Amino acid sequence: MPLTGASESIIMKKKLYVIPLFLTLFSIVVIFLSLQLETSPQMIVGDSMQARSFPIFLMVINLMLVGILSFQFYKTYPKEVELEKFPTWSSMLLFLIFYILVTVSGDMFVAIPIVMFLMGLTWGQKKIWISITNAIVTPLSIFFLFDYVLQIRFPRGWLTNIYYG
Amino acid sequence: MIEALSAMGSVFTDPYLLTLIFATTVLGVIIGVLPGLGATTGAALLLPFTLTMEPVQAIAVLSTIYVSATFAGSITAILINTPGTSAAAATTFDGYPLAQKGEAGRALGIAVVSSTVGGVFSVIVLCIAAPLLARVAYEFRPPEYFALTIFGLSMLASISAGGAVKNLIGGIFGVWLSTIGSERVTAIERFMFGNYDLYEGLSFVPVFIGLFAISELLVQSKMVNKVVETVALKAVKLPTKEDYKRIWKTILRSCGIGTFIGVLPAEGATVASMIGYSEAKRWSKNKEEFGKGSVEGIAGAEAANNAATGGAMVPTMVLGIPGSGTTAIILVGLMVHGLRPGAYLFTEQVEKVYQIFGSMLLANLMFMAMGLYAARVFARVSLVPISILWPIVFALSVIGAYALSQSLIDVWIALIFGVIGFFARRHGFAVAPIAVGLILGEMVETNLQHSLKMYDGQWWMILAQPLAAFFLILAFLGLCGPYLYGLITKHKD
């Protein structure tokens, strides 16, 4: 059933407060977590602040700013945010795949070419050989640059074990 | 003074540094013409590559990227109506219309000359103003530093697009991020959730790579299938005598505006170019030409944005307060290489400081040569398909994030902040305030703690210090000034 004018406006109003609500919740959570922090004896802190004071102070300011932001949103409706398309969501999914691959193989140089190749495809590269070449040549070049020039060692895994011995 | 000048001159005779600056200028121009990459992302990606370099070489690389990418943004702004960097956005207003009239070479010539004059002018100001400011800053104590950082944070309100309140929320979030880890006085662990990799706090490099490079990758993923229209370019033409007659006043004005805006903590090249452009229009006798290919419009924007680069280095190096996202990365570069920004840098490391200034001067001259003779080639680089470019950026980002501490946790931090940065930008929150907030956070808290100790917990004594009070009043005016002015003018009407 299509939305009527009234129900559409209620949804719009709800959407309007998603960001301020999220920021408010974030501030409250930080204040709560700050209150759980230990307090130091007076002889250490002296006339200065406890470790919890500064984050609480920040979040109080944040809550005030969120109040002003909500008022601004109420006065002038913010621009609608377009829903993301496939390449954006797929890229975020690829970050997750990267994490899983590194965790499983222990090797960044297994995960990077796979993610680069898939990213190329999801971003519209039609020539597979270009994506494959890019996914192999780039990490290899960076690896040798870091290894020889900058002398940085990477975590050992399936491929790096072969190289490092 | 002679020592300083000879240190600057040594840059021009050091073959290694010359080669390095030349190569970095080429890279900076390439980064600048690639839409989406820009000076900040480029500097974030290159920072890990500077780790094994000498401090001067490392900062020379980062500052060269800064000035050359800031200039190069104008090439794509003029030829494909897409600013390579946000600082070149104002250049599109007149650069592209002039290019459409078949005068792309003339538009680029004016952009190159204006940018070079702006850049060189600002480096000269940097050489003169930075040591003078350092002398003043030498007297700063914790209350003054606290007030100064508050002033810097208040300036976040106008650091970039997104609106004052959103920028301040971003800045507060950044300051909060700086509280993660062990608290410096009491060693109480804050917001670590048992993860001892965070004991020393969040490392700046992975956070910056995430906020600037990875979030940009996600933003660029929206541009898939975007068709780019290019304007033909035969050769870049130096401005004619007529052009010079029309633009010299605009260039000089924009040099002053850009340098001044750059010096203001947390203001940068984007704001400078917009003001430079609008002032060029305001003072022009040919206002009707603006938006249709005005040479004064191009000169006004380009001289201002490059003048801001030198200006922005003043608070960065003297006070440790970055003037923009890119200078925030340069500041991190200084810290990573053991050069603690502040007044002491100008007394204990004078030679290094002037070598860095010399590198910036050289980079300005080098990009002029490249802009004049190779803009056509660089313009073609901007047509690299994003399906090739951004997977490379991904690889550079994750490896770069790993490189500093050689820890995988930094890679995850970069990815997480990439997603956070993307969603922040999606809802109109700029990421630069988060980065600047993260850097200033520690300074704010530490100086507040020291000030409270100095005055036995009587915080109002901070206000009794003249210089601290001055900065706090400036911060108040910066935040509330526009609203108060609006109220007053409304009342008068």
Side-chain angles (χ1 to χ4, degrees):
Chain A
M1 198 176 71
L3 291 172
T4 61
S7 54
E8 201 172 352
S9 114
I10 290 167
I11 291 172
M12 297 275 259
K13 273 185 182 170
K14 278 183 182 168
K15 268 186 179 176
L16 193 73
Y17 294 106
V18 170
I19 298 296
L21 193 69
F22 172 77
L23 291 169
T24 307
L25 280 175
F26 172 78
S27 304
I28 291 169
V29 169
V30 171
I31 290 172
F32 175 76
L33 290 173
S34 304
L35 289 171
Q36 309 305 310
L37 294 174
E38 298 167 44
T39 48
S40 289
Q42 190 63 24
M43 59 179 289
I44 295 176
V45 180
D47 293 313
S48 193
M49 305 181 287
Q50 287 288 348
R52 58 166 64 167
S53 311
F54 191 62
I56 293 174
F57 172 65
L58 288 175
M59 289 306 126
V60 171
I61 296 175
N62 206 32
L63 284 171
M64 283 153 59
L65 288 168
V66 171
I68 299 171
L69 187 71
S70 309
F71 180 70
Q72 284 183 344
F73 279 7
Y74 175 75
K75 284 285 223 184
T76 330
Y77 190 80
K79 266 191 207 166
E80 279 285 309
V81 180
E82 274 181 44
L83 270 181
E84 309 312 332
K85 291 178 186 146
F86 175 68
T88 311
W89 294 118
S90 66
S91 300
M92 282 190 232
L93 187 70
L94 285 173
F95 293 168
L96 193 66
I97 292 173
F98 176 77
Y99 175 76
I100 295 166
L101 282 172
V102 173
T103 316
V104 171
S105 69
D107 198 330
M108 283 167 76
F109 287 90
V110 169
I112 290 172
I114 294 173
V115 170
M116 278 183 76
F117 170 68
L118 293 174
M119 194 178 278
L121 293 186
T122 54
W123 282 45
Q125 182 54 261
K126 292 193 177 88
K127 292 172 186 162
I128 291 180
W129 65 270
I130 291 182
S131 265
I132 292 175
T133 313
N134 194 24
I136 293 171
V137 173
T138 307
L140 263 183
S141 319
I142 299 173
F143 177 80
F144 286 115
L145 176 73
F146 273 80
D147 192 58
Y148 281 111
V149 183
L150 307 178
Q151 299 185 335
I152 287 170
R153 284 175 78 88
F154 290 97
R156 281 174 172 274
W158 294 347
L159 289 178
T160 38
N161 262 341
I162 300 169
Y163 179 78
Y164 292 135
Chain B
M1 191 64 195
I2 293 167
E3 191 190 347
L5 284 175
S6 77
M8 268 182 94
S10 70
V11 175
F12 291 78
T13 52
D14 181 344
Y16 181 74
L17 212 48
L18 274 173
T19 318
L20 192 67
I21 293 172
F22 175 77
T24 316
T25 309
V26 174
L27 197 61
V29 175
I30 292 173
I31 285 170
V33 296
L34 291 168
L37 268 184
T40 314
T41 314
L45 289 175
L46 274 184
L47 180 57
F49 289 89
T50 66
L51 294 177
T52 51
M53 293 179 186
E54 291 292 315
V56 171
Q57 294 160 1
I59 306 307
V61 165
L62 296 175
S63 47
T64 302
I65 288 289
Y66 183 28
V67 295
S68 53
T70 303
F71 150 70
S74 66
I75 298 177
T76 47
I78 289 167
L79 296 180
I80 60 174
N81 201 24
T82 307
T85 58
S86 60
T91 312
T92 57
F93 302 159
D94 282 295
Y96 187 65
L98 193 60
Q100 277 181 315
K101 288 178 187 169
E103 295 191 79
R106 184 180 169 215
L108 272 171
I110 289 166
V112 170
V113 171
S114 312
S115 297
T116 308
V117 176
V120 171
F121 176 86
S122 73
V123 174
I124 294 168
V125 172
L126 174 66
C127 293
I128 298 165
L132 293 177
L133 188 59
R135 265 184 231 168
V136 179
Y138 204 70
E139 305 296 322
F140 283 11
R141 296 164 308 144
E144 284 81 19
Y145 267 116
F146 167 71
L148 185 68
T149 45
I150 293 293
F151 171 55
L153 285 171
S154 74
M155 296 301 280
L156 286 177
S158 53
I159 191 171
S160 49
V165 178
K166 283 183 176 178
N167 287 342
L168 288 172
I169 290 174
I172 294 283
F173 178 63
V175 176
W176 174 75
L177 289 175
S178 75
T179 65
I180 294 174
S182 147
E183 203 261 347
R184 280 148 200 97
V185 176
T186 58
I188 287 174
E189 294 158 15
R190 295 188 292 196
F191 316 114
M192 284 167 50
F193 306 106
N195 189 336
Y196 280 87
D197 287 312
L198 297 174
Y199 191 80
E200 297 286 327
L202 280 173
S203 186
F204 292 152
V205 177
V207 174
F208 283 17
I209 288 177
L211 286 177
F212 294 113
I214 296 177
S215 79
E216 187 61 45
L217 180 151
L218 293 169
V219 170
Q220 289 296 317
S221 67
K222 291 177 175 180
M223 310 293 175
V224 174
N225 303 327
K226 193 185 168 195
V227 180
V228 176
E229 281 181 26
T230 54
V231 173
L233 169 72
K234 283 177 188 162
V236 180
K237 288 178 193 164
L238 276 171
T240 58
K241 264 188 186 173
E242 276 303 305
D243 285 335
Y244 278 120
K245 269 184 194 168
R246 283 187 64 181
I247 62 174
W248 73 271
K249 279 184 192 165
T250 307
I251 291 179
L252 282 183
R253 192 184 309 112
S254 282
C255 282
I257 292 170
T259 309
F260 176 72
I261 300 279
V263 170
L264 292 178
E267 297 294 345
T270 310
V271 179
S273 68
M274 289 295 175
I275 297 178
Y277 179 83
S278 61
E279 285 304 303
K281 189 175 178 181
R282 199 156 73 95
W283 290 91
S284 173
K285 287 174 188 163
N286 310 298
K287 287 190 181 69
E288 69 288 348
E289 284 182 15
F290 278 75
K292 295 170 191 162
S294 162
V295 288
E296 291 159 90
I298 301 170
E302 278 303 306
N305 68 23
N306 267 77
T309 57
M313 290 293 280
V314 177
T316 307
M317 295 190 75
V318 181
L319 306 168
I321 294 179
S324 63
T326 321
T327 45
I329 294 164
I330 294 174
L331 186 69
V332 173
L334 285 166
M335 291 174 186
V336 167
H337 287 280
L339 297 174
R340 188 82 191 162
Y344 287 98
L345 194 62
F346 288 81
T347 50
E348 289 163 13
Q349 313 264 11
V350 185
E351 200 182 335
K352 285 178 182 163
V353 167
Y354 279 92
Q355 281 177 331
I356 293 168
F357 294 170
S359 308
M360 284 185 78
L361 189 65
L362 187 60
N364 276 293
L365 299 174
M366 279 192 181
F367 80 60
M368 180 182 184
M370 277 175 209
L372 288 176
Y373 299 107
R376 220 166 83 173
V377 181
F378 288 121
R380 296 199 68 78
V381 176
S382 66
L383 302 175
V384 171
I386 61 171
S387 58
I388 294 176
L389 175 67
W390 289 94
I392 296 175
V393 171
F394 171 77
L396 284 171
S397 301
V398 291
I399 294 173
Y402 172 83
L404 183 66
S405 312
Q406 297 180 34
S407 153
L408 277 174
I409 186 97
D410 283 349
V411 179
W412 313 140
I413 287 174
L415 291 175
I416 290 167
F417 275 93
V419 176
I420 290 174
F422 169 71
F423 280 106
R425 292 167 74 169
R426 189 174 182 263
H427 291 283
F429 292 83
V431 289
I434 303 176
V436 176
L438 176 61
I439 287 187
L440 295 185
E442 188 194 332
M443 280 173 78
V444 176
E445 188 178 13
T446 312
N447 285 306
L448 179 60
Q449 282 170 335
H450 290 167
S451 305
L452 288 174
K453 278 202 169 167
M454 275 173 73
Y455 301 118
D456 303 326
Q458 296 169 320
W459 60 265
W460 57 90
M461 285 300 288
I462 297 172
L463 298 171
Q465 312 310 309
L467 209 51
F470 172 70
F471 285 128
L472 289 173
I473 289 168
L474 279 184
F476 176 78
L477 289 176
L479 286 174
C480 306
Y483 299 103
L484 292 176
Y485 180 75
L487 279 177
I488 292 165
T489 47
K490 207 175 171 184
H491 184 72
K492 271 186 183 174
D493 288 343

